[in-house]
Amino acid sequence: MARPPIDYGQKIKDILQHVGALPEEADRPLEHFELSSEECWTLRNYVERKILDSSSYPGVAKKHMTSLDRMLLVNLIETFEQFLKETAAVCVDHLARCVLDDRFDSFPISGSIIAAHFGAGSPGKSLCESAVWLNCKVINDRFRRLL
C-alpha cells in the first residue's frame, strides 16, 4: 500500500503552532543565550546516546547525527544572533531616555516593520528585532554608534 502524499505546506504551518512562551531568562540576554545554547548541546548528547547505544546500523546513525549537527549549527547561529539583538535592545532601552542624537539612525526600520513589532514593549526591541544581525561589520557599526 502506497503511503499518502505529505502536505509539506501544512507541516510547515503546523510547526508554527508548536511555539511556546519565552523562558524568564529572555529578559536577560546572556542568560537566555546560555540557556538556548545549552539546550542544543543537551539535545545532541541525548540523541547521540539514544541512537548510538541502540543502533544496529552505525552508518545510518552517523548519517542522522551529521544531519542533526547541521541543524544544531543553524540553531546556534540563530541563538547568537538573538543574543546580539537582545543585547542591543537593552542598550537602546537604557540610552533612549538619555540621548537625543542620531545614534539610532543606523537601525533600518520602516513604518510597517515598527507596526509589526509595536507590541514588543520597548523601543529597543522594536528597533533591533526588525533587522538581520549576521554581518560582522554591520553589527560592529551598530554597537559602535550606540555606545
Side-chain angles (χ1 to χ4, degrees):
M1 176 189 232
R3 186 173 84 183
I6 298 172
D7 183 357
Y8 290 107
Q10 186 58 47
K11 286 209 169 279
I12 290 171
K13 290 176 187 174
D14 291 343
I15 288 172
L16 299 175
Q17 301 305 314
H18 297 144
V19 177
L22 287 173
E24 67 179 50
E25 290 87 357
D27 291 335
R28 297 177 303 279
L30 186 57
E31 289 180 38
H32 191 205
F33 172 73
E34 289 171 344
L35 175 72
S36 299
S37 57
E38 182 62 33
E39 286 175 350
C40 289
W41 296 119
T42 302
L43 171 64
R44 189 193 188 287
N45 292 336
Y46 174 81
V47 172
E48 184 177 44
R49 269 194 330 271
K50 293 296 183 182
I51 287 179
L52 296 180
D53 290 349
S54 65
S55 178
S56 55
Y57 300 102
V60 174
K62 184 171 173 50
K63 180 181 173 187
H64 289 311
M65 287 305 298
T66 301
S67 294
L68 179 62
D69 286 341
R70 283 193 299 261
M71 288 185 267
L72 289 174
L73 177 61
V74 171
N75 195 305
L76 287 167
I77 292 168
E78 187 273 332
T79 297
F80 184 66
E81 180 190 21
Q82 190 63 39
F83 167 70
L84 292 173
K85 287 180 178 186
E86 290 172 354
T87 302
V90 169
C91 292
V92 169
D93 289 343
H94 285 288
L95 292 170
R97 61 184 173 268
C98 302
V99 297
L100 297 173
D101 57 15
D102 63 348
R103 67 182 68 203
F104 302 127
D105 292 349
S106 62
F107 294 91
I109 195 154
S110 66
S112 59
I113 291 173
I114 201 163
H117 291 89
F118 192 74
S122 78
K125 288 181 182 176
S126 296
L127 285 175
C128 298
E129 280 296 325
S130 62
V132 176
W133 291 72
L134 296 175
N135 181 313
C136 291
K137 181 182 178 336
V138 172
I139 293 166
N140 287 336
D141 290 345
R142 287 178 185 157
F143 275 106
R144 191 175 296 111
R145 297 264 319 187
L146 277 176
L147 305 174

